[in-house]
Amino acid sequence: MLRHEDNVRVTRSGPGTPLGRLLRAYWQPVALVSEMPEDRPVKAVRVMSEDLVLFRRDEVSVEVGEGGSAAAVPTGEWGLVGRYCAHRGVDLSYGRRENGGLRCLYHGWLYGPDGRCLEQPAEPEHSSFAEKVRIPSYPCVERNGIVFAYLGAGDPPPFPAYDCFRAPESYTFAFKGRWQCNWLQGLEGGIDPSHVSFLHRFVGEDPREAYGQQFSEEVAGTGKKLSELVGDNFRPDIEVEGAEHGLRVFALRDLTEDVRHVRITNLVFPNAFVVPFGNSKSFCQWHVPIDDENHYWFMILYDFEEVTDQETLLTQRLREVSLPDYRPLRNRTNDWGFDPTEQRELTYTGMGLDINVHDQWAVESMGPVQDRTVERLGVSDRAVTANRRLLLKAIDSFENGNPVPGLPLDVESAEELTGPPAIDTVTPAEDWERAWRERESERRRRSPWAGRDVRRAQC
């Protein structure tokens, strides 16, 4: 359990809060590239209780020639600025894209992607008033289908060399979803290795061809599907160790005296995790506050062996959400689709085949902000308790100007933040650590893309 003041400290992320300042020091996902309208790529977004506007800077006016004539050139870059005009508070998400910026519809004030007011057409020609006006702005970059923004102070840090960023885009798939609860509940669900033995199990024959089908794949060398294996072995030994990226979590299940199932997941500090997704895939998933009672998860799935069928995956995922806000069709308003007959005869939850819904129910059912002062944690919650200790320590450390996990200070240190390996394999019980490292190295050697730099995999 946590003290009330600590629970507040790790859940409140608005501007000026200790947690908010820490989260803003890292690049954070703010939108999918695929959700931006093609005819007018401008969208209102809310991140950590800040209302902003994201837009593609398709045209920028540049000076050419001695005469100072201007020409519009495409850039494909992104701008992220405050949502409301500094003049009279009008909503800039309806603004016109002009000269690489947004022009307010009310009085024509033009804002650049750096938030500076560039034009005030109704003001006198000699006026310098525009030079005094600026709205919030944040740098953005696009990585494998997601637009990331840096909302912190000073210069942004370099991007780590994690697999989800290094994988060629054709080997990846990006998506998002909106959950009605605090961000930390979503993150803690992802780093809890023991819940998979119950939440995602089947009581009948597993017919799954939906999202989560990796639980229907046979674990090599066992003759069992993953869902069956973890369901039969519901008391794993859980070990947690610190890492440059945050935490590495081991769930170890002894299948016989000589054989061990090894599942390794990772906390990518402060608000993401990396988990295995079948035999050749992994994904990194960020949990980003909208406000203190709602958040989005953003995911980059990456495949070490095959080009990703992005169209099929997108069609599959869009069947489960309502647009434009990516709210799951199964949610609190309809009891997450709970069916008591299904719970008796097919799935452990009675909430369909999509494992995202299972996870969503678990964390949303706690309420908008979980009261951690009344929970009772056990040995199987080691990863959760380790993360909370790390988070509280990092908040204090960042406040005092000291280093925090997963935040590179320069390009060289960013290059050291690699992987992290996410493993689902069977090994000899005695020499399991050496075995998983060797198999991970071999997987990277076989990969069309990861094998290009095996030495940096940090296995």
Side-chain angles (χ1 to χ4, degrees):
M1 68 177 70
L2 285 181
R3 298 179 303 167
H4 173 73
E5 53 268 34
D6 286 338
N7 198 40
V8 169
R9 197 165 175 80
V10 297
T11 56
R12 302 295 189 254
S13 62
T17 62
L19 173 67
R21 286 191 288 269
L22 176 66
L23 293 179
R24 285 167 172 79
Y26 297 77
W27 287 100
Q28 296 289 350
V30 294
L32 298 173
V33 174
S34 62
E35 72 177 295
M36 300 299 291
E38 291 186 9
D39 59 340
R40 183 177 176 274
V42 181
K43 186 179 182 67
V45 297
R46 184 169 171 81
V47 185
M48 291 182 278
S49 301
E50 287 192 60
D51 289 308
L52 306 168
V53 182
L54 177 68
F55 62 97
R56 187 187 286 276
R57 301 163 52 193
D58 276 338
E59 291 184 345
V60 175
S61 181
V62 296
E63 297 296 323
V64 295
E66 293 183 1
S69 58
V73 296
T75 68
E77 296 178 353
W78 296 94
L80 183 67
V81 298
R83 183 170 176 177
Y84 300 107
C85 179
H87 182 203
R88 299 279 296 279
V90 165
D91 190 343
L92 291 175
S93 69
Y94 294 91
R96 297 177 63 89
R97 288 193 306 149
E98 295 184 15
N99 297 327
L102 288 178
R103 189 180 294 276
C104 179
L105 302 183
Y106 201 12
H107 297 92
W109 286 23
L110 176 67
Y111 294 93
D114 61 358
R116 289 185 300 166
C117 186
L118 304 176
E119 295 180 11
Q120 297 171 334
E123 294 299 306
E125 288 188 13
H126 63 272
S127 174
S128 61
F129 181 29
E131 299 173 6
K132 303 174 183 178
V133 177
R134 190 164 189 165
I135 59 176
S137 67
Y138 303 105
C140 298
V141 295
E142 182 180 324
R143 289 287 189 278
N144 281 339
I146 295 179
V147 179
F148 287 80
Y150 175 69
L151 286 77
D155 295 330
F159 262 82
Y162 296 140
D163 288 332
C164 63
F165 299 136
R166 293 180 57 241
E169 187 169 358
S170 60
Y171 285 77
T172 70
F173 170 70
F175 202 69
K176 67 185 266 190
R178 178 174 177 139
W179 286 356
Q180 290 180 286
C181 64
N182 184 262
W183 76 279
L184 188 55
Q185 285 153 238
L187 181 79
E188 290 184 341
I191 61 170
D192 167 20
S194 62
H195 81 269
V196 298
S197 294
F198 293 91
L199 190 64
H200 304 313
R201 73 162 62 180
F202 276 73
V203 295
E205 181 64 26
D206 182 351
R208 181 161 34 201
E209 293 183 357
Y211 184 77
Q213 62 190 1
Q214 83 282 5
F215 278 85
S216 302
E217 292 185 7
E218 182 178 312
V219 179
T222 67
K224 292 185 176 182
K225 298 176 181 179
L226 178 60
S227 57
E228 183 183 3
L229 187 151
V230 298
D232 291 344
N233 298 272
F234 51 79
R235 190 174 288 116
D237 291 329
I238 296 173
E239 300 180 9
V240 183
E241 65 181 25
E244 291 295 318
H245 60 265
L247 297 173
R248 186 172 289 120
V249 182
F250 301 85
L252 309 173
R253 293 174 168 88
D254 288 330
L255 307 183
T256 68
E257 288 186 2
D258 302 318
V259 178
R260 173 170 287 179
H261 176 241
V262 178
R263 184 172 173 84
I264 303 175
T265 58
N266 301 269
L267 166 75
V268 178
F269 195 82
N271 59 322
F273 56 83
V274 174
V275 299
F277 198 73
N279 293 324
S280 67
K281 303 176 182 65
S282 299
F283 68 80
C284 186
Q285 183 168 301
W286 293 261
H287 287 260
V288 184
I290 300 171
D291 51 39
D292 291 338
E293 297 187 353
N294 301 272
H295 76 276
Y296 278 114
W297 58 261
F298 287 84
M299 173 193 72
I300 297 178
L301 179 146
Y302 48 99
D303 197 315
F304 285 95
E305 296 180 2
E306 299 179 352
V307 169
T308 304
D309 186 350
Q310 296 176 351
E311 184 175 345
T312 297
L313 287 171
L314 181 61
T315 300
Q316 183 186 87
R317 297 310 307 141
L318 288 177
R319 287 199 296 260
E320 303 292 337
V321 300
S322 61
L323 300 179
D325 61 359
Y326 291 77
R327 193 184 304 271
L329 297 176
R330 293 173 181 249
N331 53 60
R332 185 184 301 277
T333 65
N334 55 26
D335 294 329
W336 297 275
F338 176 73
D339 181 344
T341 301
E342 178 193 315
Q343 190 181 55
R344 286 195 304 272
E345 300 176 358
L346 183 60
T347 67
Y348 199 76
T349 63
M351 298 176 191
L353 307 181
D354 189 337
I355 63 170
N356 255 352
V357 176
H358 308 166
D359 292 323
Q360 173 200 348
W361 163 80
V363 299
E364 287 186 341
S365 68
M366 300 172 181
V369 181
Q370 181 194 0
D371 182 0
R372 293 175 176 80
T373 66
V374 297
E375 66 183 356
R376 297 293 184 268
L377 302 185
V379 172
S380 61
D381 299 302
R382 282 175 172 161
V384 173
T385 55
N387 175 62
R388 293 180 189 176
R389 288 193 298 269
L390 181 62
L391 182 55
L392 286 166
K393 181 179 178 180
I395 291 173
D396 291 338
S397 183
F398 187 74
E399 289 284 284
N400 293 320
N402 297 320
V404 289
L407 186 62
L409 301 178
D410 50 40
V411 174
E412 184 177 352
S413 58
E415 288 294 305
E416 296 299 319
L417 289 169
T418 62
I423 309 297
D424 207 330
T425 190
V426 174
T427 71
E430 275 193 14
D431 207 10
W432 63 273
E433 291 191 77
R434 180 186 60 81
W436 79 255
R437 292 177 189 275
E438 289 181 352
R439 291 181 188 180
E440 176 66 1
S441 294
E442 178 60 26
R443 176 170 74 161
R444 290 175 180 275
R445 275 192 289 269
R446 293 196 312 266
S447 171
W449 60 270
R452 294 177 305 188
D453 202 359
V454 175
R455 63 185 173 81
R456 291 177 51 223
Q458 287 194 1
C459 299

